[in-house]
Amino acid sequence: MRLYINIDHVATVRQARMTIEPDPVRAAVLAELGGADGITVHQRIDRRHISPRDVELLMQTIRTGLNLEISSRERMVDFAVGVAPKAVTLVPESRQEVTTEGGLDLGAAEVRQSVATAIERLVDEGIRTSLFIDPDNEAIDHAAALEADAVELHTGEYANGSTSQEKADELGRLARAAEHAHDAGLAVHAGHGLTYENVVPVAALPRIEELNIGHSVVSRAIFTGLERAVRDMRTIVDAAPSRVARPGEWIHPIGF
Ligand code: PXP
């Protein structure tokens, strides 16, 4: 399982004072030392946290790979092509949202058209493409038809489930979606809302090969330091398959 750490929140703290610290580039180095397989940042159109300067310096600094989240708008794709990260994950973006709120609406023809144009350009540049979608078959079929390399299944509904039944239902949905995406020839990633407490059943799903985790790790890092926070997540994720007897039934490896 690849563990990508999203460091947007480090930039959010910096932007709270419009200053130069904490620097997400330093955070990325510590995340790598803690065992991250890659670094994820979301370059939003409004630049509310990560800036083009961050992305450019991350490309020069990190030793793993950068997964750049962007909307499929032309100017963001232009930016991504200029940066040439290892991977681009296309996400929906609206101005008012606090964070990405759901997967791409690939049922809408204009969204599909915009994503198709973006994928074509990114593929020409040798950049791996992933589409952030809700875990449903229709979206997966659209992603396969668009010839994306991967889908990132939105785990927010699972994470927000308020009862164990709701969580189990959402986990089942993720498991079926992961199988369907794999059968359609897509690599399967997952992310959003994953924490030290809820990650194990998702990390244990056989078809999922990459997780993107931000908020929970950066939150813990305030108390433990980032390198340690990433290492703890790494330990949990790596132990996950052997820890799940049945979905919903697992033992925490480091005893939270
Ligand atoms: N994946 C995508 C597409 C996201 O937009 C985000 C949040 O920026 C994440 C994963 C990480 O979510 P979280 O910060 O809740 O771990």
Side-chain angles (χ1 to χ4, degrees):
M1 176 71 72
R2 295 190 300 272
L3 175 62
Y4 271 61
I5 298 294
N6 181 315
I7 54 170
D8 291 349
H9 280 5
V10 177
T12 299
V13 175
R14 177 188 62 191
Q15 294 315 108
R17 284 291 174 92
M18 306 279 195
T19 179
I20 57 168
E21 64 178 9
D23 190 335
V25 181
R26 292 182 176 197
V29 173
L30 291 173
E32 288 182 322
L33 288 174
D37 295 302
I39 302 298
T40 297
V41 291
H42 184 175
Q43 178 64 72
R44 297 186 73 100
I45 294 168
D46 63 12
R47 302 181 179 186
R48 71 165 80 142
H49 42 56
I50 292 292
S51 68
R53 167 267 183 204
D54 300 331
V55 177
E56 276 147 31
L57 284 181
L58 284 166
M59 282 298 292
Q60 292 170 35
T61 308
I62 65 174
R63 293 280 181 273
T64 54
L66 186 71
N67 171 34
L68 181 63
E69 292 178 7
I70 53 165
S71 89
S72 58
R73 288 212 203 163
E74 191 180 354
R75 72 183 158 103
M76 297 314 297
V77 177
D78 286 345
F79 173 71
V81 164
V83 168
K86 185 170 187 176
V88 162
T89 300
L90 297 174
V91 299
E93 199 173 301
S94 75
R95 260 176 206 288
Q96 287 79 26
E97 68 190 1
V98 174
T99 181
T100 314
E101 281 169 353
L104 289 160
D105 179 12
L106 295 179
E110 69 276 13
V111 175
R112 281 204 304 282
Q113 184 53 56
S114 166
V115 167
T117 307
I119 289 179
E120 199 177 319
R121 292 197 54 210
L122 295 165
V123 166
D124 279 350
E125 301 296 324
I127 300 169
R128 186 175 155 82
T129 58
S130 177
L131 304 183
F132 185 55
I133 58 168
D134 294 327
D136 66 64
N137 288 357
E138 207 181 312
I140 291 164
D141 293 341
H142 282 307
L146 287 162
E147 297 185 13
D149 294 307
V151 284
E152 180 177 336
L153 300 178
H154 182 27
T155 50
E157 296 292 324
Y158 160 75
N160 292 334
S162 50
T163 62
S164 46
Q165 187 58 52
E166 260 178 48
K167 280 189 189 294
D169 290 349
E170 287 301 328
L171 186 64
R173 203 174 146 215
L174 285 166
R176 289 189 296 278
E179 284 298 329
H180 188 73
H182 175 79
D183 291 347
L186 292 155
V188 190
H189 308 168
H192 212 282
L194 296 176
T195 68
Y196 295 81
E197 290 76 23
N198 70 18
V199 72
V200 165
V202 175
L205 294 177
R207 301 303 185 192
I208 295 185
E209 60 182 62
E210 180 181 307
L211 297 176
N212 275 283
I213 308 181
H215 180 87
S216 186
V217 172
V218 176
S219 301
R220 181 172 291 245
I222 290 172
F223 304 109
T224 67
L226 188 57
E227 187 181 344
R228 167 79 194 270
V230 173
R231 187 168 298 125
D232 285 351
M233 183 59 84
R234 172 94 264 170
T235 304
I236 293 171
V237 165
D238 288 347
S242 61
R243 294 278 161 174
V244 173
R246 290 199 302 270
E249 193 179 283
W250 54 280
I251 305 155
H252 211 289
I254 52 177
F256 290 86

